[in-house]
Amino acid sequence: MKFNTKTIHGGQQHDPAYGSVMPPIYQTTTYAQSTPGGHKGYEYSRTHNPTRHALENAFASIENGNHGLAFGSGLAAVDAVLKLLQPGDEVVSTNDLYGGTYRLFTKIYEDFGIKFHFIGMDNSDRIESYITPDTKLIWAETPTNPMMNIIDIVSVSKIAKKHNVLLAVDNTFATPYLQRPLDLGADIVMHSATKYLGGHSDVVMGALVVKNRDLAERLYFIQNASGAICGPQDAFLVLRGIKTLHIRMQRHCENGKVVAEYLANHPKIENVYWPGFESHPKHDIAKSQMSDFGGMVSFTTKGNDYKEAIKIVENLKIFTLAESLGGVESLAGHPASMTHASIPKEEREKTGVVDSLIRLSVGIEDKDDLIADLKQAIG
Ligand code: P1T
């Protein structure tokens, strides 16, 4: 089955009770048993729920995995991966990543005795030099949030396999429409399904997908034992969102390109970060591992002018100043004070998250209206 069919049918079956084409929202905590243990595969909704199950099958299908898991948020999904580790274990992580993931790593898991190395993942030798016998996990995000750095998944996965380390890839920005990390050698793919998978800015949710059965069993155990599941209404909404992922992503990519090119030619803009530019340092890797370049674009104002950046985000009318990304509507964010405020200034500035950086989640509105909005806001 091709991807554009998988988004609609992948892992899905019509409901066995009445043949409903969409899975019913099984708004129930529990399931009647004829005798202790005599049930139809569902006992209690923290452990299993048919609506969530349908969504988890869809996650697995679109990421070319075998097992999908849905969580109450993207960070709950990251948290489940971290629970595979033991005190004393080490993680090599990209240093340019969502601020909340950084906060979870440094403010929760460091206290539990996990050691993190935050490094630039643009160089294989550097990554390998941080691997020790205690390294158990490599955490990669590509494209990175918010600097749009590209990590070569195939080459990192070779390092991970050589040292018997798990490779987890946060695929939130790319989505499986553009990039399928499991096919490129990753062991775990993670999503903030809050973003493009849900696609309509109305659900907070996380996802994991794996191929390996043993790894899936360990993660299902953690999902049930820790309990950070999503509810059936939210599962239904994200399942509905996935059905249009391919056509939404096509438009996000088209509009993202137009916006990136407009900004790159604007005299008041300094740097534009978008992997579709030939001048992007990892454009060739982006081209080889992604089928297009997505709808996320970051940029700085001329002379790193903080006040000018704030003026722009305040002036925007169609782009809404808000956290999050990946919905049908265009959003603008100021990472230094919003999504990445939990990363110390000194650390974030090393990766380019300066005070004049603006991040755009380019939506699927008419491109002319988006450009007109940027034009009036930047001046
Ligand atoms: O918000 P939540 O669903 O818990 O997902 C966390 C998360 C994980 N990974 C990436 C790449 C993310 O972008 C996020 C959430 N990011 C935002 C809210 C944001 O505006 O960047």
Side-chain angles (χ1 to χ4, degrees), residues 124-311:
S124 300
D125 291 342
R126 186 183 310 127
I127 299 170
E128 198 156 13
S129 74
Y130 279 89
I131 307 239
T132 75
D134 292 325
T135 309
K136 296 288 154 46
L137 177 69
I138 299 176
W139 188 269
E141 205 180 273
T142 184
T144 57
N145 178 1
M147 294 310 296
M148 307 304 294
N149 285 311
I150 298 293
I151 296 168
D152 181 344
I153 300 173
V154 170
S155 87
V156 181
S157 80
K158 283 185 187 147
I159 297 170
K161 284 196 174 50
K162 181 170 155 198
H163 296 278
N164 201 19
V165 171
L166 287 174
L167 169 62
V169 174
D170 183 335
N171 202 28
T172 300
F173 270 33
T175 84
Y177 175 76
L178 300 177
Q179 162 180 288
R180 289 183 283 281
L182 298 179
D183 289 349
L184 301 171
D187 301 290
I188 302 173
V189 58
M190 176 262 149
H191 278 276
S192 170
T194 314
K195 311 298 183 315
Y196 290 103
L197 298 187
H200 297 76
S201 304
D202 50 10
V203 180
V204 174
M205 189 187 287
L208 296 178
V209 181
V210 302
K211 282 193 169 164
N212 180 282
R213 194 189 162 88
D214 290 344
L215 182 56
E217 292 300 333
R218 289 166 69 202
L219 289 167
Y220 283 126
F221 179 83
I222 292 166
Q223 184 193 39
N224 182 47
S226 292
I229 49 142
C230 65
Q233 300 259 2
D234 286 352
F236 178 89
L237 283 172
V238 172
L239 195 54
R240 181 167 73 168
I242 287 173
K243 286 175 193 286
T244 56
L245 178 66
H246 51 299
I247 46 174
R248 285 186 285 109
M249 285 311 292
Q250 195 181 336
R251 182 63 71 85
H252 282 297
C253 291
E254 284 166 18
N255 285 358
K257 181 174 194 288
V258 171
V259 165
E261 283 169 355
Y262 173 78
L263 292 170
N265 289 317
H266 199 294
K268 291 189 177 171
I269 302 306
E270 185 91 47
N271 295 309
V272 183
Y273 303 98
W274 179 66
F277 290 131
E278 276 178 24
S279 57
H280 185 287
K282 295 284 174 183
H283 176 69
D284 288 347
I285 304 289
K287 245 167 83 179
S288 70
Q289 69 186 19
M290 300 168 75
S291 58
D292 205 337
F293 304 108
M296 297 300 298
V297 181
S298 297
F299 65 98
T300 55
T301 52
K302 251 291 145 337
N304 188 23
D305 188 332
Y306 166 72
K307 283 197 182 133
E308 193 61 27
I310 298 303
K311 204 185 82 194

Side-chain angles (χ1 to χ4, degrees), residues 26-104:
Y26 281 97
Q27 192 74 50
T28 185
T29 56
T30 192
Y31 306 81
Q33 307 192 15
S34 54
T35 185
H39 55 75
K40 297 177 179 169
Y42 296 92
E43 277 174 286
Y44 184 61
S45 279
R46 172 166 28 75
T47 319
H48 297 114
N49 172 282
T51 319
R52 192 176 90 226
H53 196 201
L55 173 67
E56 291 178 329
N57 287 341
F59 284 155
S61 171
I62 57 176
E63 281 288 2
N64 284 351
N66 297 322
H67 311 276
L69 300 97
F71 294 86
S73 69
L75 283 180
V78 182
D79 184 69
V81 175
L82 270 286
K83 284 183 174 138
L84 294 167
L85 307 179
Q86 304 281 329
D89 287 349
E90 296 188 12
V91 178
V92 177
S93 169
T94 172
N95 58 0
D96 175 28
L97 78 173
Y98 172 55
T101 309
Y102 178 88
R103 182 178 55 198
L104 178 65

Side-chain angles (χ1 to χ4, degrees), residues 277-356:
F277 290 131
E278 276 178 24
S279 57
H280 185 287
K282 295 284 174 183
H283 176 69
D284 288 347
I285 304 289
K287 245 167 83 179
S288 70
Q289 69 186 19
M290 300 168 75
S291 58
D292 205 337
F293 304 108
M296 297 300 298
V297 181
S298 297
F299 65 98
T300 55
T301 52
K302 251 291 145 337
N304 188 23
D305 188 332
Y306 166 72
K307 283 197 182 133
E308 193 61 27
I310 298 303
K311 204 185 82 194
I312 293 170
V313 293
E314 285 176 354
N315 281 349
L316 285 165
K317 293 193 167 61
I318 293 179
F319 284 85
T320 301
L321 176 60
E323 308 237 357
S324 206
L325 59 112
V328 289
E329 65 288 296
S330 293
L331 300 181
H334 180 248
S337 67
M338 295 167 75
T339 48
H340 292 70
S342 53
I343 304 179
K345 186 175 164 78
E346 201 182 285
E347 284 304 307
R348 65 171 164 76
E349 290 202 335
K350 275 189 212 159
T351 63
V353 185
V354 293
D355 288 345
S356 80

